[in-house]
Amino acid sequence: MILHPFRRSAKAQHNVLARPARAVAFAFAGAILVGGLLLSSPAANTQGTFTPLVDGIFTATSAICVTGLTVLDTATHYTLFGKIVILVLIQAGGLGLMLIASLLSMLVMGRIGYLTRLSTQRESSAVSGADVRTAALMILKLSLAIESMVAIILTVRFWLAYDHEPIRAIWHGVFHAVSAFNNAGFALYSNNLMDFVADPWLCIPISGAIILGGLGFPVLLQLRHHWRHSLKWSMNTRLVLLMTALLLIMGTVFITAMEWNNPRTLGNLEPGQRILAGFFHSVQTRTAGFNSIDIGAMHSASWLGMDVLMFIGGGPAGTAGGIKITTAAVLLFIMLTELRGETAVNILGKRLSRSVHRQAITVALLGVGAVFLGTMGLLLLTDYSLDRCLFEATSAFGTVGLSTGITPELPDPAKAILIALMYLGRVGVLSLGSALALRDRKALYELPKERPAIG
């Protein structure tokens, strides 16, 4: 039997595709371990003592997975060294560890290794095999440009309106700009951003950075090249922009209406300030995690609606988490197609491949399963109510970072559950989505068809 010299066996091809997925998973796990050890060290603690390792690992996971859930007060517990470690982890997790590895490889060796190239593709669908170098540099420049513009606005505001010293204003501006664009939600204030609930000069730039980061790098890169020519936009770009606008509007209306008369959240604000706060928290469900009102004081119905928004998340191959807007859109159009009695799923003038249907359903059901198991674990390990446990589990899986206030009080086993959910939400679904997209296994036979009763 003669084998084609350039044709890989099925097993060899599977191994080639599996190695990048393992590389991404191990890279994140390694960064979490190193970050956790650094954050547990006395140098990172204002008391000069060791922080419990589980708390260090939790914070490192939250930072590298750009979540924002915290078990310790970032503002008072960590030294400048600790905060810098958190900032570096946020930036690395937002850009993507393998993309950073590609940039370092170019810097040190002048080229990108084959495995690094595949791993970068696996981690970010914004990068194709032919242009890893160009796309990696472009993503880096775009990210730094957006973060710099937002940092300048925030620095000026902190300096002029809140009497921060220039150095402190710059530090706070940079930290919150990076945290916002990477959808992390870490803040340098003990009550997060509650002191700025009525300040549009802080809330709107932070919201803008979160939205841009949540669109995903494929959308940002395409808008950079063709922002004046919408006819050249891909289905992915159109879907992300359309669904982002719809979810932001729906989320703003929902949160503002539900909390309008709640004296512990929006009730004591002026009408315009209530709308600003409602919009700000609708943006946070794009998986950012800042809060300008007390999330724990919101109505249970508000938590449930935010659970849905957090589970959906933002755009693919970006800094946001969740099952992704495109996955939710595909499921919506599949449902509409079935209700209409049609056979082909059409979106924005294009027909979807049936493999996309299966991928969307698989990712969504696995996400539901992860949140379900996480919620059950929290219920078994704590005395908190179902709505609070569901909110924390969804926030962790969606890498959001919003909390009803119970996360710092959780026992270590419950913290471990949230760590696993954050890791899965950032690495697992991302790797699964790309693995499903690359998997193309054709059977040599078909079984007889039969239709079970549905409904």
Side-chain angles (χ1 to χ4, degrees):
M1 182 175 64
I2 299 176
L3 295 177
H4 195 283
F6 299 105
R7 186 173 297 168
R8 296 178 184 270
S9 67
K11 183 176 180 180
Q13 186 178 19
H14 173 76
N15 290 335
V16 170
L17 295 178
R19 287 174 63 194
R22 290 197 296 266
V24 173
F26 286 142
F28 271 87
I32 288 171
L33 180 59
V34 173
L37 292 174
L38 290 175
L39 292 175
S40 297
S41 67
N45 187 342
T46 54
Q47 302 299 319
T49 58
F50 284 97
T51 299
L53 184 59
V54 66
D55 292 338
I57 293 292
F58 189 101
T59 304
T61 305
S62 184
I64 199 71
C65 296
V66 289
T67 305
L69 284 174
T70 56
V71 291
L72 300 169
D73 185 0
T74 305
T76 60
H77 180 81
Y78 291 107
T79 61
L80 177 62
F81 169 75
K83 293 170 184 175
I84 291 175
V85 170
I86 292 174
L87 185 66
V88 171
L89 290 174
I90 291 172
Q91 186 71 84
L95 284 177
L97 292 174
M98 302 315 301
L99 187 142
I100 292 176
S102 297
L103 294 171
L104 291 176
S105 179
M106 285 189 291
L107 182 64
V108 175
M109 298 184 296
R111 61 184 178 85
I112 302 175
Y114 180 65
L115 178 58
T116 303
R117 186 186 304 115
L118 285 180
S119 301
T120 306
Q121 291 176 249
R122 175 60 60 95
E123 190 178 30
S124 174
S125 59
V127 179
S128 64
D131 63 351
V132 172
R133 180 189 184 97
T134 303
L137 289 173
M138 198 174 299
I139 289 173
L140 178 64
K141 292 177 182 178
L142 191 61
S143 300
L144 294 180
I146 295 173
E147 290 171 353
S148 297
M149 288 188 293
V150 176
I152 291 172
I153 297 173
L154 298 182
T155 297
V156 172
R157 188 61 177 172
F158 283 131
W159 178 32
L160 298 181
Y162 297 98
D163 297 325
H164 285 21
E165 295 294 327
I167 298 299
R168 186 187 180 206
I170 293 172
W171 166 238
H172 282 221
V174 170
F175 187 96
H176 291 95
V178 173
S179 183
F181 178 72
N182 291 287
N183 282 217
F186 279 88
L188 295 178
Y189 301 93
S190 296
N191 60 357
N192 208 274
L193 299 180
M194 291 177 63
D195 291 338
F196 313 109
V197 60
D199 189 347
W201 293 100
L202 285 177
C203 291
I204 292 179
I206 288 175
S207 297
I210 292 168
I211 293 171
L212 289 175
L215 291 178
F217 292 122
V219 175
L220 292 177
L221 292 179
Q222 190 162 73
L223 291 178
R224 182 180 181 273
H225 291 294
H226 305 296
W227 67 277
R228 291 183 177 179
H229 306 93
S230 58
L231 294 178
K232 295 183 179 180
W233 294 354
S234 65
M235 178 193 289
N236 180 75
T237 297
R238 294 170 184 269
L239 266 184
V240 170
L241 293 177
L242 176 61
M243 292 296 292
T244 296
L246 288 176
L247 291 174
L248 284 175
I249 293 172
M250 292 170 59
T252 300
V253 172
F254 173 78
I255 295 172
T256 305
M258 294 297 298
E259 299 296 322
W260 187 267
N261 293 318
N262 186 346
R264 297 186 298 167
T265 55
L266 303 183
N268 293 325
L269 301 175
E270 298 295 328
Q273 296 171 352
R274 298 183 197 184
I275 296 174
L276 174 63
F279 168 74
F280 185 77
H281 286 86
S282 177
V283 172
Q284 304 316 308
T285 60
R286 301 267 62 74
T287 78
F290 290 110
N291 65 283
S292 62
I293 60 175
D294 185 1
I295 301 297
M298 298 177 77
H299 296 303
S300 296
S302 299
W303 291 343
L304 184 59
M306 293 171 72
D307 286 339
V308 176
L309 294 172
M310 292 190 298
F311 185 75
I312 294 173
T319 60
I323 64 171
K324 302 299 187 293
I325 283 178
T326 46
T327 303
V330 168
L331 294 175
L332 174 63
F333 279 96
I334 290 175
M335 182 184 69
L336 293 176
T337 300
E338 190 64 28
L339 291 175
R340 293 169 183 165
E342 300 173 352
T343 55
V345 179
N346 300 315
I347 300 180
L348 304 177
K350 299 291 181 66
R351 179 172 58 86
L352 282 185
S353 167
R354 290 190 180 276
S355 62
V356 178
H357 306 182
R358 298 191 298 270
Q359 293 166 19
I361 293 171
T362 301
V363 169
L365 289 180
L366 288 176
V368 170
V371 172
F372 173 80
L373 292 176
T375 302
M376 182 181 293
L378 294 180
L379 287 171
L380 292 173
L381 294 170
T382 69
D383 295 326
Y384 293 113
S385 60
L386 173 61
D387 51 2
R388 289 182 181 271
C389 290
L390 176 61
F391 191 94
E392 303 296 310
T394 307
S395 180
F397 172 77
T399 68
V400 180
L402 294 174
S403 173
T404 60
I406 69 173
T407 295
E409 308 300 327
L410 295 176
D412 288 349
K415 292 176 184 177
I417 289 176
L418 294 186
I419 289 173
L421 285 173
M422 289 188 287
Y423 181 80
L424 177 64
R426 179 61 178 161
V427 180
V429 173
L430 183 148
S431 296
L432 174 64
S434 57
L436 290 175
L438 289 172
R439 188 179 177 88
D440 185 17
R441 183 179 178 183
K442 294 182 180 180
L444 300 178
Y445 61 91
E446 289 186 356
L447 297 175
K449 287 184 178 180
E450 187 172 348
R451 182 183 178 90
I454 301 296

mmCIF file of all heavy atoms in Angstrom, residues 20 36-37 69 131 136 142 226 228 267 284 286 389 407 410 430:
data_model
loop_
_atom_site.group_PDB
_atom_site.id
_atom_site.type_symbol
_atom_site.label_atom_id
_atom_site.label_comp_id
_atom_site.label_asym_id
_atom_site.label_seq_id
_atom_site.Cartn_x
_atom_site.Cartn_y
_atom_site.Cartn_z
ATOM 1 N N PRO A 20 -2.446 21.708 20.187
ATOM 2 C CA PRO A 20 -2.682 23.114 20.513
ATOM 3 C C PRO A 20 -3.717 23.303 21.609
ATOM 4 O O PRO A 20 -3.576 24.202 22.449
ATOM 5 C CB PRO A 20 -3.163 23.702 19.179
ATOM 6 C CG PRO A 20 -2.620 22.798 18.142
ATOM 7 C CD PRO A 20 -2.641 21.443 18.758
ATOM 8 N N GLY A 36 -0.986 32.516 41.278
ATOM 9 C CA GLY A 36 -1.469 32.214 42.618
ATOM 10 C C GLY A 36 -0.358 32.216 43.648
ATOM 11 O O GLY A 36 -0.524 32.717 44.770
ATOM 12 N N LEU A 37 0.811 31.668 43.289
ATOM 13 C CA LEU A 37 1.949 31.660 44.210
ATOM 14 C C LEU A 37 2.441 33.086 44.483
ATOM 15 O O LEU A 37 2.770 33.434 45.633
ATOM 16 C CB LEU A 37 3.083 30.813 43.630
ATOM 17 C CG LEU A 37 2.811 29.298 43.545
ATOM 18 C CD1 LEU A 37 3.948 28.596 42.817
ATOM 19 C CD2 LEU A 37 2.620 28.702 44.933
ATOM 20 N N LEU A 69 -14.365 38.129 39.874
ATOM 21 C CA LEU A 69 -14.811 37.680 41.191
ATOM 22 C C LEU A 69 -13.637 37.755 42.164
ATOM 23 O O LEU A 69 -12.511 37.389 41.819
ATOM 24 C CB LEU A 69 -15.343 36.252 41.124
ATOM 25 C CG LEU A 69 -16.732 36.044 40.514
ATOM 26 C CD1 LEU A 69 -17.036 34.563 40.403
ATOM 27 C CD2 LEU A 69 -17.799 36.745 41.338
ATOM 28 N N ASP A 131 -1.531 34.297 8.533
ATOM 29 C CA ASP A 131 -1.216 35.657 8.963
ATOM 30 C C ASP A 131 -1.130 35.771 10.478
ATOM 31 O O ASP A 131 -1.564 36.758 11.055
ATOM 32 C CB ASP A 131 -2.253 36.642 8.431
ATOM 33 C CG ASP A 131 -3.653 36.357 8.974
ATOM 34 O OD1 ASP A 131 -3.831 35.308 9.621
ATOM 35 O OD2 ASP A 131 -4.538 37.179 8.756
ATOM 36 N N ALA A 136 -1.365 38.980 15.013
ATOM 37 C CA ALA A 136 -0.947 39.121 16.406
ATOM 38 C C ALA A 136 -0.489 40.547 16.696
ATOM 39 O O ALA A 136 -0.871 41.146 17.713
ATOM 40 C CB ALA A 136 0.173 38.128 16.716
ATOM 41 N N LEU A 142 -4.055 47.285 18.410
ATOM 42 C CA LEU A 142 -5.436 47.720 18.591
ATOM 43 C C LEU A 142 -5.806 47.748 20.069
ATOM 44 O O LEU A 142 -6.428 48.704 20.554
ATOM 45 C CB LEU A 142 -6.364 46.776 17.824
ATOM 46 C CG LEU A 142 -7.827 47.193 17.665
ATOM 47 C CD1 LEU A 142 -7.930 48.509 16.902
ATOM 48 C CD2 LEU A 142 -8.604 46.105 16.930
ATOM 49 N N HIS A 226 -12.742 47.713 7.195
ATOM 50 C CA HIS A 226 -13.903 47.957 6.335
ATOM 51 C C HIS A 226 -15.039 48.657 7.081
ATOM 52 O O HIS A 226 -16.206 48.386 6.821
ATOM 53 C CB HIS A 226 -14.424 46.623 5.773
ATOM 54 C CG HIS A 226 -13.398 45.804 5.059
ATOM 55 N ND1 HIS A 226 -12.790 46.227 3.897
ATOM 56 C CD2 HIS A 226 -12.864 44.585 5.343
ATOM 57 C CE1 HIS A 226 -11.927 45.306 3.485
ATOM 58 N NE2 HIS A 226 -11.955 44.308 4.350
ATOM 59 N N ARG A 228 -16.252 51.483 6.776
ATOM 60 C CA ARG A 228 -17.112 52.284 5.897
ATOM 61 C C ARG A 228 -17.876 51.432 4.888
ATOM 62 O O ARG A 228 -18.754 51.934 4.195
ATOM 63 C CB ARG A 228 -16.276 53.314 5.135
ATOM 64 C CG ARG A 228 -15.705 54.427 5.992
ATOM 65 C CD ARG A 228 -14.958 55.422 5.119
ATOM 66 N NE ARG A 228 -14.443 56.539 5.885
ATOM 67 C CZ ARG A 228 -13.739 57.546 5.354
ATOM 68 N NH1 ARG A 228 -13.467 57.537 4.046
ATOM 69 N NH2 ARG A 228 -13.304 58.532 6.115
ATOM 70 N N GLY A 267 -33.320 53.525 43.341
ATOM 71 C CA GLY A 267 -34.442 54.347 43.813
ATOM 72 C C GLY A 267 -34.075 55.725 44.300
ATOM 73 O O GLY A 267 -34.886 56.656 44.188
ATOM 74 N N GLN A 284 -22.181 45.497 31.917
ATOM 75 C CA GLN A 284 -21.390 44.577 32.741
ATOM 76 C C GLN A 284 -21.757 43.121 32.482
ATOM 77 O O GLN A 284 -20.916 42.235 32.614
ATOM 78 C CB GLN A 284 -21.566 44.890 34.233
ATOM 79 C CG GLN A 284 -21.236 46.311 34.633
ATOM 80 C CD GLN A 284 -19.961 46.839 34.007
ATOM 81 O OE1 GLN A 284 -18.909 46.212 34.092
ATOM 82 N NE2 GLN A 284 -20.054 47.992 33.356
ATOM 83 N N ARG A 286 -22.110 41.841 29.785
ATOM 84 C CA ARG A 286 -21.304 41.409 28.647
ATOM 85 C C ARG A 286 -20.060 40.689 29.119
ATOM 86 O O ARG A 286 -19.179 40.397 28.351
ATOM 87 C CB ARG A 286 -20.888 42.628 27.798
ATOM 88 C CG ARG A 286 -22.024 43.433 27.240
ATOM 89 C CD ARG A 286 -22.419 42.984 25.856
ATOM 90 N NE ARG A 286 -22.885 41.632 25.795
ATOM 91 C CZ ARG A 286 -24.087 41.234 26.239
ATOM 92 N NH1 ARG A 286 -24.919 42.088 26.764
ATOM 93 N NH2 ARG A 286 -24.444 39.974 26.156
ATOM 94 N N CYS A 389 -26.824 31.306 44.609
ATOM 95 C CA CYS A 389 -25.868 30.302 44.122
ATOM 96 C C CYS A 389 -25.867 30.248 42.600
ATOM 97 O O CYS A 389 -24.804 30.130 41.972
ATOM 98 C CB CYS A 389 -26.206 28.936 44.708
ATOM 99 S SG CYS A 389 -25.893 28.790 46.489
ATOM 100 N N THR A 407 -19.435 35.469 47.572
ATOM 101 C CA THR A 407 -18.176 34.821 47.183
ATOM 102 C C THR A 407 -17.098 34.892 48.265
ATOM 103 O O THR A 407 -16.455 33.876 48.560
ATOM 104 C CB THR A 407 -17.649 35.420 45.864
ATOM 105 O OG1 THR A 407 -18.570 35.117 44.820
ATOM 106 C CG2 THR A 407 -16.306 34.823 45.500
ATOM 107 N N LEU A 410 -17.572 32.158 51.023
ATOM 108 C CA LEU A 410 -17.684 30.750 50.666
ATOM 109 C C LEU A 410 -16.578 29.925 51.313
ATOM 110 O O LEU A 410 -15.444 30.396 51.452
ATOM 111 C CB LEU A 410 -17.616 30.576 49.149
ATOM 112 C CG LEU A 410 -18.767 31.178 48.326
ATOM 113 C CD1 LEU A 410 -18.487 30.996 46.839
ATOM 114 C CD2 LEU A 410 -20.093 30.534 48.693
ATOM 115 N N LEU A 430 -13.919 27.737 24.973
ATOM 116 C CA LEU A 430 -13.124 28.297 23.873
ATOM 117 C C LEU A 430 -12.453 27.173 23.084
ATOM 118 O O LEU A 430 -12.514 27.120 21.858
ATOM 119 C CB LEU A 430 -12.085 29.259 24.453
ATOM 120 C CG LEU A 430 -11.184 30.024 23.507
ATOM 121 C CD1 LEU A 430 -10.856 31.387 24.121
ATOM 122 C CD2 LEU A 430 -9.890 29.278 23.255
#
